[in-house]
Amino acid sequence: MTAVKKSYYIKSRDFIRAGEASIKIQTLLKSLNFDPQLIRRVAICGYEGEMNVVMHGGDGSLSFAINTDELILEISDDGPGIVNIGKAMQAGFSTASDEHREMGFGAGMGLPNMKKNADDIIVESEKGLGTRIRMVFFIDKGGDDG
Ligand SMILES: Nc1ncnc2c1ncn2[C@@H]1O[C@H](COP(=O)(O)OP(=O)(O)OP(=O)(O)O)[C@@H](O)[C@H]1O
Ligand SMILES: [Mg+2]
C-alpha cells in the first residue's frame, strides 16, 4: 500500500534550487518520525541524484513514495543519458567539467554513494533519452514494541 506520494520537478543546471526536493523529503520523513539513520540515507541518495540531474542530466523529477514496508525514491531526467553505466557506478569516475569541479563536485562518488546507502538500486539509461534511478529503502520496524 502506498500511504504517501510526492513528486518534485528538477531543473537542469539550476544550482540555486538544487537539493530542495531532497530537503522536502527529509523534512517530511522527520515529521513522520522515521529513524534518523534511514532519513539520512534517503537524504544522501536524494541529494546526489538531484545534483546529477542538475549537473549532467536534463530537466527531470524526483518522486518519492512511502509504502508499508519500504520507501521508494525515483529520480529521472530527459538528458543525454549515461554512456557507460558500469563505469559511472565506479568510485572516482566522473565527466564533471572544470566549472563543476571548481564548485566542489566531480569526485565521482555520487552514484557509488547512492548504491551504498540504498537497500536496492536500479539504474536505467538510454543514450539521448535520459536516465532513471530507482532506489528502495526497507523500513525496519525495529523490535521492542512490535
Ligand atoms: N543523470 C545523469 N545523466 C547523465 N550522466 C550522468 C547522470 N548521472 C551521472 N552521470 C554520469 O555518471 C558519472 C558519475 O556520476 P557520480 O555522481 O558518481 O559522479 P559525479 O557527479 O561526476 O561527481 P560527484 O557526484 O562526486 O560530485 C558522471 O560524471 C556522469 O558522467
Ligand atoms: Mg554526482
Side-chain angles (χ1 to χ4, degrees):
M1 200 190 88
T2 302
V4 178
K5 232 180 153 165
K6 298 275 177 196
S7 192
Y8 304 96
Y9 176 65
I10 307 172
K11 193 162 166 46
S12 175
R13 311 298 175 262
D14 184 353
F15 283 92
I16 306 288
R17 300 195 60 183
E20 279 186 6
S22 305
I23 290 172
K24 283 184 178 142
I25 299 296
Q26 203 177 346
T27 306
L28 171 74
L29 290 174
K30 271 185 196 163
S31 75
L32 296 171
N33 287 316
F34 275 90
D35 171 45
Q37 197 55 41
L38 177 62
I39 298 175
R40 201 182 118 78
R41 289 164 51 216
V42 173
I44 289 169
C45 291
Y47 175 78
E48 294 290 359
E50 259 189 277
M51 284 320 308
N52 279 355
V53 172
V54 171
M55 265 197 295
H56 314 291
D59 291 342
S61 66
L62 180 154
S63 318
F64 183 67
I66 302 177
N67 297 338
T68 311
D69 301 319
E70 61 192 18
L71 308 175
I72 309 286
L73 178 64
E74 204 172 286
I75 296 161
S76 50
D77 71 79
D78 60 6
I82 299 176
V83 179
N84 183 329
I85 294 176
K87 255 192 190 172
M89 296 302 292
Q90 286 172 19
F93 177 84
S94 176
T95 60
S97 64
D98 289 345
E99 199 190 336
H100 294 151
R101 289 170 198 273
E102 274 162 28
M103 289 189 266
F105 302 108
M109 288 310 293
L111 285 168
N113 253 332
M114 290 157 86
K115 188 177 161 64
K116 189 177 98 187
N117 282 286
D119 287 310
D120 194 19
I121 183 169
I122 299 170
V123 180
E124 291 173 315
S125 192
E126 206 162 328
K127 196 168 177 239
L129 288 179
T131 302
R132 190 176 79 112
I133 301 180
R134 186 177 195 270
M135 287 162 280
V136 179
F137 304 84
F138 303 134
I139 301 171
D140 185 1
K141 295 279 196 268
D144 30 289
D145 53 17

